[in-house]
Amino acid sequence: MLVLKPEGTRKKNANTLLHILLKEDGISRVELSRMTSLTKTTVSAIIKGFKDSGIVEESNQVSTGNIGKSPIPLHIRADAVYTIGVHLSRERIETLLMDAQMNIITYNRGEDYEKFGLEGVINSLFININKIREYAKKKKINIGAIGIGIPGPLDAQTGVVKKPPKFKGWKNVPLRSIVQKEYGVPVWIENDANVCALAEKWLGSGRNIHNFINILLNEGIGAGVIINDELYQGTYDFVGEIGHFLCYEQGKFQYLEDIAGADVLLRWANSQGLSVKSLKSIAELLQQDNQIANSIVKKIATWIGSAIVNAIHMIGPQTVFIGGKMVVLGEPLIQPIRKIVSRYLFGEQAVNIQFSSISSNAVPSGAGIYAMIHWLEKKCSEI
């Protein structure tokens, strides 16, 4: 049996209180004690450490109408830490600045890569991070950490990006150390679909949903999995790789993202004579009820729907959120997915399939949240 030393117990308790404060803004010491079964003395001592370190602040006392002293609401300070959230995608860099209350202060959408390769992408990464840093400097904001969401596979513990499919020139890249060396602040990296799920949990429609899957439909297809309100990461960093579900197509096994990714959809559309350059162009054809476009999107949706059925049977979520570039296709995409799920779902499960409510900047938002939470956890462990 694991026996925690006193300092280990204190760190564990501090981490527990931190996460409750993040989720329950305005909670009081009395409520924290009641929720955790920690003594009021223990809670007060930890909260004092949080206050002294600039992590937590108190509101003015709020009258409850009861006799005696009213409970004092507690809040994570907005300026406890500022983080840069990054989406390092296969096309461009997106960056944003976020405070510790998860407010987005500014957002930047970078240009498409001029040089698609390791050196060109890293150069673009620095350019776009620097834009946020320049803004922060003008506002006298100190950046405490950087979070990066990037297609996997990767090792979140070591910060090494292994070999993402459809990402030319990337193999065992020590991304965290590269960025950390450049800026001198802590850096955390995580799979783009995972941080997307975090954004849905903290900022989107997943706030009050305990178990859900958030699917990112881009050139690659990935999924972030939330179980019991926490991001599930498994033993290895391959959780949620729904894009590598096997499908039997044209007489052979193929990965889902190789027959249903956004790039595949565009190639297929052009091979059928539609002459389109973007998913938006396909969406416009769908609005015009173009039969070829409808047929192609329905086929893609059928493959995605079948993968979602398999994922639901493994995980048992309440909801499946769909985000990424392909959400621009709208109802012609999601309706066939819902139809497949409804038809083939085993048992009496009621699983809601819906578009993500924060699809436009979910990955950089989630990356910022990921870095912020890790920074706060580290800070609390030092108190």
Side-chain angles (χ1 to χ4, degrees):
M1 182 177 69
L2 175 65
V3 178
L4 292 173
K5 295 180 180 180
E7 62 270 22
T9 301
R10 182 179 175 84
K11 288 180 181 179
K12 179 176 179 293
N13 291 339
N15 193 60
T16 297
L17 295 183
L18 170 66
H19 279 264
I20 294 174
L21 286 162
L22 285 166
K23 295 173 183 176
E24 305 288 342
D25 184 53
I27 195 169
S28 69
R29 292 172 178 80
V30 173
E31 292 169 311
L32 286 169
S33 177
R34 187 183 303 122
M35 287 180 67
T36 60
S37 298
L38 297 173
T39 66
K40 294 179 182 178
T41 301
T42 297
V43 170
S44 293
I46 294 172
I47 295 301
K48 182 180 185 302
F50 287 178
K51 285 180 62 184
D52 292 345
S53 297
I55 295 172
V56 168
E57 63 184 358
E58 298 176 339
S59 293
N60 293 329
Q61 291 190 20
V62 179
S63 175
T64 62
N66 297 325
I67 298 174
K69 187 177 180 180
S70 301
I72 301 174
L74 301 168
H75 311 276
I76 298 292
R77 289 179 58 122
D79 62 355
V81 63
Y82 292 93
T83 59
I84 296 177
V86 179
H87 182 194
L88 199 165
S89 76
R90 294 176 174 88
E91 287 187 340
R92 69 183 66 87
I93 305 291
E94 295 175 90
T95 50
L96 57 76
L97 179 63
M98 175 178 285
D99 67 25
Q101 292 181 352
M102 303 183 198
N103 299 306
I104 297 172
I105 299 169
T106 188
Y107 167 83
N108 170 67
R109 185 177 188 268
E111 300 293 330
D112 288 3
Y113 302 129
E114 291 184 4
K115 295 181 179 179
F116 188 78
L118 179 58
E119 184 178 344
V121 173
I122 294 296
N123 183 57
S124 182
L125 174 65
F126 289 163
I127 288 171
N128 286 280
I129 289 177
N130 288 340
K131 288 181 180 179
I132 299 295
R133 283 167 52 86
E134 288 164 11
Y135 175 91
K137 186 176 181 180
K138 290 178 182 177
K139 299 294 182 180
K140 298 182 179 179
I141 292 172
N142 292 319
I143 306 299
I146 297 172
I148 302 174
I150 183 172
L154 53 81
D155 187 330
Q157 299 300 315
T158 62
V160 173
V161 181
K162 295 179 180 177
K163 191 177 180 181
K166 305 179 184 180
F167 222 134
K168 183 180 178 181
W170 284 68
K171 185 177 180 181
N172 296 326
V173 178
L175 182 63
R176 184 176 70 186
S177 63
I178 290 171
V179 179
Q180 209 158 271
K181 182 179 179 181
E182 180 73 13
Y183 296 108
V185 298
V187 176
W188 284 274
I189 72 167
E190 182 52 272
N191 183 281
D192 54 356
N194 282 349
V195 297
C196 191
L198 283 178
E200 195 70 55
K201 181 62 186 175
W202 288 100
L203 303 175
S205 298
R207 289 176 182 172
N208 299 314
I209 301 176
H210 304 301
N211 302 284
F212 67 81
I213 301 171
N214 191 295
I215 296 177
L216 203 57
L217 298 178
N218 294 322
E219 290 80 9
I221 300 176
V225 180
I226 299 292
I227 296 178
N228 294 330
D229 294 315
E230 300 294 337
L231 179 66
Y232 179 68
Q233 293 174 297
T235 304
Y236 305 103
D237 290 290
F238 294 97
V239 172
E241 291 290 356
I242 192 172
H244 285 78
F245 278 19
L246 283 177
C247 304
Y248 195 73
E249 172 72 350
Q250 297 181 351
K252 62 179 180 180
F253 285 109
Q254 299 186 63
Y255 290 129
L256 174 67
E257 64 185 39
D258 290 336
I259 60 173
D263 54 334
V264 178
L265 175 56
L266 285 171
R267 285 201 305 270
W268 193 1
N270 281 292
S271 72
Q272 297 297 308
L274 293 183
S275 187
V276 291
K277 294 183 178 180
S278 68
L279 294 177
K280 186 177 179 181
S281 298
I282 295 179
E284 291 170 353
L285 290 173
L286 292 171
Q287 291 175 357
Q288 298 165 15
D289 200 26
N290 182 284
Q291 293 304 305
I292 297 175
N294 271 303
S295 175
I296 293 171
V297 171
K298 184 176 180 180
K299 180 68 173 177
I300 293 285
T302 299
W303 283 121
I304 294 169
S306 67
I308 288 174
V309 170
N310 292 334
I312 290 172
H313 288 155
M314 288 294 294
I315 296 166
Q318 298 160 267
T319 300
V320 175
F321 294 104
I322 295 176
K325 297 176 183 177
M326 290 174 68
V327 300
V328 72
L329 302 175
E331 291 300 306
L333 173 71
I334 202 168
Q335 287 301 342
I337 292 175
R338 286 173 175 158
K339 186 175 180 180
I340 290 291
V341 172
S342 175
R343 181 176 179 181
Y344 292 103
L345 205 58
F346 180 74
E348 298 180 357
Q349 302 178 66
V351 181
N352 185 30
I353 311 294
Q354 68 184 71
F355 284 126
S356 167
S357 60
I358 54 168
S359 184
S360 60
N361 62 1
V363 176
S365 297
I369 292 169
Y370 187 76
M372 181 267 292
I373 291 175
H374 276 280
W375 188 93
L376 289 174
E377 287 176 341
K378 187 175 186 297
K379 184 75 172 178
C380 290
S381 71
E382 297 169 354
I383 294 173

